[in-house]
Amino acid sequence: MSRELARAAATFEWGWSADELERLVDAVGWTWREPSEGAVTCEFGTARSAGGDAGGEAGGGAGRKAGGDAGAGAFVFRGEVTAIYQNLIEHDTADVLDRRDAFCRAVDDIAEVLGPPPTRTPGPDPSAGWPVAAGVLEVVDRPQALDLWLRPEQRRPTTPPQKAKSHTNPIDWYGLTTLVATEAACLPAGTTLRVGPSITLTQRPDRLTVTVAGTSTAIDWPATGTTYRSMAAGLVAWLRDETGHSHPDEVLIS
């Protein structure tokens, strides 16, 4: 159902008045439910698509909200709509790399309608956004859910730069691969992850630059969890086979 909201938002012009909300709901194809008197939020009925949509496929079935309601609604305050949301997937138990797979599928789904996202915010809870006639449309990947938000303007603050935690605990090589992939998938823009003395991963809004012993390659962002796993597996193999590390606990990640 994410494409329907994207298509409607791309051409729908309004003043974000609560009186106009039903017209937008109809344009998206949702079922209008009159807000209760004094309600701060209102919810709409949405039918899940059978396939070919982020709302139908992004999570591969795992962790979705049960039933036919995809979870969509609006926040209303003093007669003005402050935000419209659609819950695409609930994934309380999903790991970071699985979340990134679903996030990329949702971004690709919207990009088929609106083109590549002009606004990209990497980090632990990444987002991608598009300016549209109705405001700003964003896909946001939170630990609890993958959401689509429509707001009058971009409201989500950029994640402040953070350094990855140092790691020296003994783990196996597979564990090290998973750790490197997960840390890389959570890098905010403007930060660098160091893996041992010879590997750096530097995050920019639109790419992750991986440098190994002075040789750099770039990975477009957003990137899937599968991409992070493959990248990390190559780095760990290089550490094990080319640098003589005999055990993963010799590798410092910072």
Side-chain angles (χ1 to χ4, degrees), residues 102-183:
F103 175 68
C104 282
R105 283 192 287 269
V107 171
D108 288 346
D109 204 54
I110 301 298
E112 289 188 12
V113 179
L114 302 177
T119 303
R120 306 177 189 218
T121 308
D125 304 332
S127 68
W130 296 259
V132 291
V136 175
L137 190 69
E138 283 188 301
V139 177
V140 182
D141 180 14
R142 301 181 293 113
Q144 297 80 20
L146 179 67
D147 298 318
L148 188 61
W149 289 86
L150 179 64
R151 297 183 175 93
E153 58 187 16
Q154 188 172 359
R155 297 290 183 91
R156 193 167 182 267
T158 301
T159 305
Q162 302 172 8
K163 289 197 67 175
K165 297 178 180 178
S166 294
H167 171 82
T168 55
N169 295 329
I171 52 177
D172 59 22
W173 292 110
Y174 177 81
L176 181 61
T177 299
T178 301
L179 177 66
V180 171
T182 301
E183 292 283 0

Side-chain angles (χ1 to χ4, degrees), residues 218-239:
I219 297 173
D220 291 338
W221 195 93
T224 64
T226 302
T227 298
Y228 286 115
R229 288 185 183 97
S230 177
M231 176 270 300
L235 296 180
V236 169
W238 184 84
L239 287 168

Side-chain angles (χ1 to χ4, degrees), residues 47-139:
R48 287 194 181 280
S49 60
D53 194 296
E57 294 184 346
R64 292 186 200 159
K65 180 177 285 188
D69 195 332
F75 291 90
V76 181
F77 182 70
R78 294 181 178 177
E80 298 293 327
V81 180
T82 59
I84 294 169
Y85 66 89
Q86 182 180 2
N87 170 242
L88 302 177
I89 301 170
E90 287 187 350
H91 45 205
D92 291 340
T93 60
D95 68 20
V96 167
L97 300 177
D98 288 341
R99 284 172 47 200
R100 295 301 183 266
D101 283 333
F103 175 68
C104 282
R105 283 192 287 269
V107 171
D108 288 346
D109 204 54
I110 301 298
E112 289 188 12
V113 179
L114 302 177
T119 303
R120 306 177 189 218
T121 308
D125 304 332
S127 68
W130 296 259
V132 291
V136 175
L137 190 69
E138 283 188 301
V139 177

